[in-house]
Amino acid sequence: MKKKDQKSGGEIAAKKGKGFRRLKRGHFGVVVVTVVLIMTAVGICTALFAEFFLHYVVDARVLNEYHAIEFMGSLYEREEGERAYQMLDGEGRSYLITDADGQEIHSSGEITVSDVGGEYLPTSSDERIMIYMDEELPLVFASEGHMAIRLRDTIRWINETGGMFGLQRGEGKMELPFWICVSVRGGQQKLLGHAAFQLDMTDVALIASTAGTFVLMVVIALILLICSFFSGIVRQHRIAALFFMDEVTGGHNWMWFLTRGEQLLRKRRNASRHFAVLDVVFVKYRNFCVCHSIAEGEKLLREVDRVITQNIGKKELSAHYASANFAVLLSYYEEAQLKQRITELIGKLEKISDVHQFGFHVGIDSIAIETGKNGRPVRRKQVDLEVEYNNACAARATLDGRDDSGIAFFDEKLVEEQRWINIVTEKQQKALDNEEFEVYYQPKYDPQTDKLRGAEALIRWNSPEYGFKGPGTFIPIFEKNGFITEIDHYMVRHVARDQKAWLDAGLPCVPVSVNISRAHFIESDLAEQIRDMIDEAGTPHDLIEIELTESAFFDDKAALIRTITKLRNFGFTVSMDDFGSGYSSLNSLKDMPLDVLKLDAEFFRGDTKDDRAQIVVSEAIRLAKNLNMRTVAEGVEIREQAEFLAENGCDMIQGYIYAKPMKREDFEQAVKKGVGSKEHGEDGP
């Protein structure tokens, strides 16, 4: 059963583990009470003792069934709609879900629950369990806080269905059915699950032995109870130790953290305590493993686990999450104290090696204290530790790119950023279908003559709901979720249509460059796709320039060369955008048959008289000319920069010195005019 639970998913396994521990605690109290009652019942007749023993078995096992139904309730709470019902069906029990008025919402299996019900108060737990009798086999019911069995009817039923001695020979198993009710959805609904008290060979053998000799029954009962109690404890400890052990560190794993953490946070005595969830990440762990070995890296992870464990309290938790991530749950009084503790912890982690200096990033999400109507703290009932940890991970992600240690708190800004990502992802297809994305054009001018020589097509989002949005607010999201390929198609089609319309109107059209994302180059027929879209619009190929970002040249070079070659054979101009923004490879210039090199805007920010920058720019222009490539300088805003570029033979300038990106209608006027002016200066037109 345990293996099956582990295979069914981490969440289910964690809940099962929690149920096992509760059952273990319940067994202890039941055993003590039962032994005392047995020793004081020496003068009671055999029949009454048999009934009493059945009560004990029921008392112990009903809790087990209750936790199983309670677990089904937690599954239903976590999911919605058909997914929730599928999860419940996977438990293999008949169940009924009703609203607060008793009206059926959903059911599965054979529903035989009756209206006869009562409350059961187990002695080993503070739970209050609502029990309903089964209509078809009404043998088990709750009365005045206790479980009751119709003993004579049960014995008669056993004899009718195979006999007690048949069970002792292992020929079957008897089940006494009943129904357990738990509240779900904040008490607005009820889940009634089919439960059963099982009579197996051991139970029947014990009951049958009482009919022969009372003294022998007492001895057997004591032996079985004690053996069952201690073997159950040993077995559960072994299972828990294996199930909750992390294979790398030998400490606790993520499932243990979720199970124990949510249990800890929901305790009533912790309602007024502040807690924080931490995502602790070993920076550059993968690099260390590459330089040394995975075995050495795992040795360091064990040391990290040891240091964290030694520096947290008994009521605090830590576990290895995955790779170089550790989850930590801390309690604190003030945020300043929490920061100090984390800083001290990082300081100790940085010294886990005498040879290497390591960095650690820590993301933090504080768990708020919940209060009631009177303003006093109340028990946390809806804590989702996995969500809290994801928030801590989101905060930690803001430190990516830093090699040194640092801490970051999850705040409302990160919430808004995630909310915006969700909005963009949800609205992207509708915005595309409604053509809410607008094409803007930024002209490119010849710095020698100020004549219009080309333009770059840029995108803006004019949303009816969220207003006018620049590309920086949505393009990075599209690049991550893959929608950028749809945007590429959208831009190519619209630019081709605009060019054809201007051409038909007799305007002196200039080539317009369109950015193609690196994500597109995994498609072997990309060049054919672009050709077909432009041919559909009827636009000459020499009026479209395909612009690739420098980062695309670090992917599959062979595939990239094939696509570029096809595009040029089809008559398209191909350019490298943002040259110099990263670690530009001269081998890329050597191997790639490019037509245009665009110098990144970073070259033209800062001191205009920086000799080193001027040397790099002038040499880049000279290199491009020697490779029969034209050059475009982006982001030029200052007259001195434009004059320097003109002196060094730069073919085109694209920047605020001439013009900002403009709407289609304004660019049409710029095409008609044909010349620009450097009079705009740093502020742009």
Side-chain angles (χ1 to χ4, degrees):
M1 183 63 182
K2 309 300 188 296
K3 292 182 179 179
K4 181 179 178 181
D5 288 340
Q6 292 180 43
K7 291 180 180 179
S8 66
E11 179 182 348
I12 296 177
K15 294 297 182 182
K16 290 291 185 183
K18 186 185 295 184
F20 294 149
R21 288 191 299 278
R22 288 180 177 174
L23 183 59
K24 178 181 67 177
R25 290 194 299 269
H27 275 164
F28 179 78
V30 172
V31 169
V32 172
V33 172
T34 303
V35 169
V36 172
L37 291 176
I38 289 175
M39 298 306 294
T40 58
V42 177
I44 301 177
C45 69
T46 301
L48 291 178
F49 173 76
E51 184 175 356
F52 164 78
F53 182 76
L54 278 177
H55 286 172
Y56 155 71
V57 175
V58 171
D59 193 40
R61 294 186 179 178
V62 165
L63 275 175
N64 189 28
E65 292 291 273
Y66 170 70
H67 291 311
I69 304 302
E70 185 183 44
F71 171 67
M72 291 177 64
S74 69
L75 288 181
Y76 182 68
E77 292 277 4
R78 284 179 175 267
E79 302 290 344
E80 295 290 341
E82 289 300 323
R83 174 63 178 165
Y85 300 142
Q86 291 173 3
M87 296 289 285
L88 292 178
D89 292 343
E91 292 300 303
R93 293 176 182 266
S94 297
Y95 65 89
L96 170 67
I97 300 174
T98 68
D99 59 19
D101 297 325
Q103 297 299 314
E104 179 178 337
I105 297 176
H106 181 78
S107 66
S108 177
E110 186 176 355
I111 308 304
T112 57
V113 60
S114 72
D115 295 331
V116 179
E119 195 173 61
Y120 167 53
L121 306 176
T123 58
S124 59
S125 172
D126 58 357
E127 306 285 357
R128 305 176 73 89
I129 306 173
M130 193 65 188
I131 303 293
Y132 285 89
M133 186 180 291
D134 187 89
E135 284 184 341
E136 291 190 353
L137 203 59
L139 300 176
V140 180
F141 60 98
S143 176
E144 298 181 355
H146 300 284
M147 289 297 296
I149 297 178
R150 293 175 174 173
L151 185 58
R152 294 181 178 84
D153 292 342
T154 301
I155 294 174
R156 185 185 306 112
W157 171 72
I158 290 175
N159 290 327
E160 291 173 353
T161 55
M164 193 172 297
F165 293 101
L167 284 177
Q168 289 178 322
R169 291 193 298 269
E171 296 177 355
K173 180 180 290 187
M174 296 296 180
E175 292 187 349
L176 305 182
F178 58 96
W179 293 74
I180 295 177
C181 177
V182 295
S183 295
V184 292
R185 307 291 190 194
Q188 297 301 310
Q189 298 178 15
K190 294 181 179 180
L191 171 66
L192 292 97
H194 183 269
F197 168 65
Q198 295 183 350
L199 285 175
D200 55 21
M201 181 179 64
T202 302
D203 301 320
V204 176
L206 288 173
I207 296 172
S209 67
T210 61
T213 171
F214 179 74
V215 175
L216 182 61
M217 187 206 70
V218 173
V219 174
I220 293 175
L222 287 174
I223 293 175
L224 288 178
L225 288 173
I226 294 173
C227 290
S228 175
F229 174 69
F230 286 106
S231 65
I233 290 177
V234 172
R235 183 170 57 253
Q236 290 169 7
H237 274 295
R238 288 176 179 175
I239 292 174
L242 290 174
F243 185 70
F244 291 128
M245 183 182 72
D246 181 70
E247 295 180 359
V248 175
T249 66
H252 296 127
N253 62 14
W254 170 245
M255 205 56 58
W256 179 88
F257 185 82
L258 275 184
T259 303
R260 291 293 302 275
E262 292 190 357
Q263 183 183 50
L264 181 69
L265 291 170
R266 290 174 179 173
K267 287 183 177 179
R268 190 178 304 277
R269 64 172 177 267
N270 292 329
S272 60
R273 298 178 65 184
H274 292 272
F275 285 92
V277 181
L278 278 56
D279 175 37
V280 180
V281 175
F282 188 163
V283 182
K284 302 296 184 183
Y285 169 71
R286 293 185 183 274
N287 291 354
F288 179 87
C289 291
V290 170
C291 295
H292 296 81
S293 68
I294 294 177
E296 287 295 317
E298 291 182 347
K299 183 178 179 181
L300 279 178
L301 291 180
R302 287 191 287 273
E303 187 64 16
V304 171
D305 184 74
R306 183 189 65 82
V307 171
I308 294 176
T309 302
Q310 288 182 348
N311 286 273
I312 61 176
K314 293 182 179 180
K315 300 298 183 180
E316 298 174 328
L317 310 176
S318 70
H320 183 215
Y321 175 69
S323 184
N325 296 64
F326 289 82
V328 182
L329 181 64
L330 299 180
S331 63
Y332 67 97
Y333 296 103
E334 296 179 351
E335 188 174 295
Q337 176 231 2
L338 176 64
K339 288 182 179 178
Q340 182 180 354
R341 283 192 65 188
I342 296 173
T343 302
E344 292 174 354
L345 176 60
I346 291 176
K348 294 177 180 178
L349 290 173
E350 289 175 336
K351 298 175 183 177
I352 58 176
S353 172
D354 297 330
V355 180
H356 303 280
Q357 180 69 31
F358 299 117
F360 289 84
H361 291 168
V362 181
I364 308 155
D365 185 31
S366 298
I367 300 177
I369 294 176
E370 299 180 10
T371 56
K373 295 181 179 180
N374 58 4
R376 295 181 179 179
V378 296
R379 184 167 65 91
R380 300 177 180 91
K381 297 181 180 179
Q382 304 298 327
V383 177
D384 191 332
L385 196 53
E386 193 163 11
V387 171
E388 304 293 345
Y389 181 72
N390 285 337
N391 291 343
C393 291
R396 189 265 310 155
T398 62
L399 302 173
D400 288 348
R402 289 179 47 176
D403 293 340
D404 59 327
S405 298
I407 63 175
F409 280 83
F410 184 80
D411 56 20
E412 197 60 34
K413 180 181 178 182
L414 289 174
V415 175
E416 289 300 321
E417 289 177 357
Q418 186 58 53
R419 186 177 292 118
W420 175 245
I421 291 173
N422 294 339
I423 289 173
V424 171
T425 303
E426 179 185 350
K427 302 292 184 181
Q428 58 191 22
Q429 188 60 52
K430 181 181 178 182
L432 191 76
D433 295 340
N434 294 339
E435 296 202 354
E436 296 174 13
F437 297 109
E438 297 181 0
V439 180
Y440 272 54
Y441 295 90
Q442 186 170 25
K444 303 173 186 175
Y445 289 93
D446 185 335
Q448 302 285 351
T449 63
D450 289 346
K451 288 185 177 180
L452 181 67
R453 292 279 300 277
E456 179 180 4
L458 304 168
I459 192 170
R460 302 291 186 268
W461 183 14
N462 193 0
S463 169
E465 295 179 73
Y466 307 104
F468 191 81
K469 298 293 182 181
T473 63
F474 57 89
I475 289 296
I477 300 173
F478 292 160
E479 289 175 339
K480 287 184 178 180
N481 66 24
F483 194 71
I484 191 65
T485 57
E486 297 294 328
I487 294 298
D488 289 348
H489 288 156
Y490 183 91
M491 292 293 288
V492 169
R493 288 193 178 96
H494 279 71
V495 170
R497 292 171 190 167
D498 287 349
Q499 287 282 65
K500 183 63 168 67
W502 291 326
L503 195 65
D504 292 344
L507 297 182
C509 294
V510 294
V512 175
S513 61
V514 183
N515 284 283
I516 299 296
S517 167
R518 64 189 293 182
H520 242 130
F521 283 87
I522 62 173
E523 301 172 354
S524 59
D525 64 339
L526 174 60
E528 288 81 3
Q529 293 180 36
I530 294 173
R531 177 199 62 193
D532 294 344
M533 285 186 287
I534 292 172
D535 287 348
E536 183 182 353
T539 304
H541 293 187
D542 61 351
L543 291 181
I544 301 295
E545 177 181 319
I546 305 303
E547 203 167 282
L548 316 176
T549 59
E550 185 190 49
S551 59
F553 293 81
F554 296 96
D555 294 329
D556 188 341
K557 183 178 289 187
L560 190 61
I561 292 175
R562 286 194 297 270
T563 300
I564 292 175
T565 302
K566 286 182 183 179
L567 288 169
R568 296 187 76 221
N569 290 339
F570 292 152
F572 299 109
T573 299
V574 182
S575 63
M576 178 195 284
D577 192 17
D578 298 332
F579 179 76
S581 62
Y583 297 98
S584 304
S585 171
L586 294 180
N587 279 332
S588 296
L589 295 181
K590 173 177 71 68
D591 297 332
M592 300 293 175
L594 299 168
D595 300 295
V596 180
L597 190 68
K598 296 189 70 175
L599 304 177
D600 186 67
E602 287 297 325
F603 281 123
F604 310 106
R605 293 195 175 100
D607 189 357
T608 59
K609 300 185 182 300
D610 186 342
D611 294 337
R612 294 177 66 87
Q614 290 183 352
I615 291 171
V616 172
V617 171
S618 61
E619 290 301 316
I621 295 172
R622 186 172 66 85
L623 175 63
K625 287 185 178 297
N626 289 335
L627 294 173
N628 295 318
M629 298 169 63
R630 298 188 299 278
T631 53
V632 179
E634 294 184 283
V636 179
E637 300 179 354
I638 302 173
R639 177 183 292 275
E640 289 80 5
Q641 293 173 341
E643 293 173 350
F644 167 77
L645 291 167
E647 292 171 2
N648 282 272
C650 182
D651 296 293
M652 286 174 277
I653 287 178
Q654 176 185 339
Y656 284 9
I657 186 69
Y658 280 106
K660 289 182 178 181
M662 57 186 65
K663 290 185 176 182
R664 178 185 184 279
E665 297 78 10
D666 296 331
F667 178 67
E668 185 176 317
Q669 296 303 315
V671 172
K672 292 178 180 178
K673 185 178 180 182
V675 295
S677 171
K678 301 188 188 74
E679 298 302 319
H680 302 301
E682 296 184 39
D683 295 330

